[in-house]
Amino acid sequence: MANRSLTMNKIRQILRGHFEGRGSKQLSQLTGVARNTIKSYLRRFKETGLIYRDVESLSDEALSELILGPPAPQQQSKRQEILSALLPTISKELRRKGMTQQRLWEEYIAKHPQGYRNSQFKAYLSQYLNRRSLTMHFEHKAGDKVFIDYAGKPLYITDPETGEHIPVQVFLGVLGCSQYTYMEVTLTQKQEDFIESCRRMLEYYGGVPRAIVPDNLKSAVQKGSKYSPVINETFESFAEHYSTSILPTRPRQPREKSLVEGAVKLVYQRIYIHLQNKIFFSLEGLNEAIRTLLVSYNERALRGEESRREQFEQLERESLQALPSLPYQLMKVKISTVMKNTHICLAEDKHYYSVPHQFIGKKVKVLHNDDRVEIFYRYHRIAQHKRDRRKHKYTTCADHLATSQRYVSSWSYDYFVVEGNRISREVGDYLAALMETKPHAEQGYKSCAGILHLAKKAGTSRLIQACKRAAEYGIYTYPIIEDILSKNLDTLSPAEEQLDDTTLTPPHHNIRGKEYYS
């Protein structure tokens, strides 16, 4: 085994040097391997049809079998034969969500008590998985991730009027466990087309994986980062609607998206080739042809095992989360400034939505569709409301307001009538009549608040009498109540009420009579 590993290092040096342009003589001098042996290695590699970039993803075992052929067969014991026959099924079971190697060993040893102990079982399983690690799809649990990307080579539709060839973008999605593939074309990679492609992909699968893994394209990732990428607000909203997560690949880490890049290479060979000499005059026509070819692609067997569709049906379909009852609606975006009343205005409807008061004066990003309005500050959502199309109205969340604003925001006709009735029926009726004398009830809110505040200064019993006296005058204002209380007119006896105003108040040219309040 050690000699074979040493040989594999030499072979990798030879292949790398060959693709860098070195001849067999120079390679022989560098590696110490005979020229005829080098020529033999290169001939066998060319017969595989692979390119050097493929070598980097091959394990030593896989590359060894390609160049040197399979290792000499070893005599297997009875229990090794039994385990070898079970390994394909065991590796398949390992892809199920929640399945572990420990649990698989327990099931194995229960059926085969004379079988291998735990450590040896895991060693054979690991060896088997490594031999099949060309794509490493066994690491992906059922229903866990879908990998998405755009193919590098565009397809084309033809303008029926001008005959112009219009390039279109090819969107691909691949489920990690089963490799079940989705493909469609759109005019652009812009956010609208990207989000709609993701929506149709999930509907094609009939469910939602727990994570979507995109490349760092702008429609998905606002700012790429190895440790803390910033997700585009619209894509983040899309993920929340479908109860999934976004896990962008790290920049310059091609192995993290190797599954979808491998799918891109395969669709070049098995789908593109059937479309090359055909003319399509619309996206719909091209996508219809792709759907037909995609059925054959997904039903094709993988390395002599089940097809992608069979693996999807057996392993992955039931592990996907259910689709929401309503599909995602793409959201429009606008920039707005939070006003001093802690609201932003959605100009399209002339309706106002509240934002936490800490963001007064800040510029925020407003996303909206037919159903809801979401407000973001520096990529973090700070408010969400149900959309209301009533003009010049306010949608307010009490938690967004400062303490003083919360008190004022609770004011209404019913609020003041209820607060007045808590003191007495007379006070409640007086406040109601005061608001009804105004062209708009809101114009009387401050007066009502002032009258209720007088109960703290003069006491509720005096306020009740003052409201009675003012109601008898037919005057409904805050100043009359304040005047009655300050001059103790609420305490007059019935006999004193009959006295003339001049008796109650000394004559003076600066003193207002009751006519003033009417």
Side-chain angles (χ1 to χ4, degrees), residues 3 42 94 182 220 272 284 307 477 502 507:
N3 290 338
L42 293 176
L94 187 58
Y182 176 75
Y272 270 56
E284 293 76 13
S307 66
T477 64
T502 58

Side-chain angles (χ1 to χ4, degrees), residues 412-449 451-452 463 467-468 470-471 474-478 481:
S412 68
Y413 179 93
D414 292 336
Y415 169 80
F416 286 112
V417 172
V418 169
E419 291 297 309
N421 284 334
R422 286 181 179 174
I423 299 174
S424 78
R425 181 62 179 270
E426 292 82 1
V427 176
D429 290 345
Y430 185 83
L431 298 182
L434 185 154
M435 290 183 284
E436 289 167 2
T437 63
K438 304 296 182 181
H440 195 287
E442 290 183 13
Q443 293 175 333
Y445 289 174
K446 287 187 177 180
S447 294
C448 290
I451 291 170
L452 291 173
L463 180 62
C467 288
K468 285 182 180 179
I475 303 172
Y476 298 95
T477 64
Y478 169 78
I481 300 295

Side-chain angles (χ1 to χ4, degrees), residues 14-22 42 45 50-52 55:
I14 291 168
L15 292 176
R16 182 170 58 252
H18 172 70
F19 282 94
E20 289 174 354
R22 294 186 173 92
L42 293 176
F45 182 76
L50 300 175
I51 60 176
Y52 179 68
V55 173

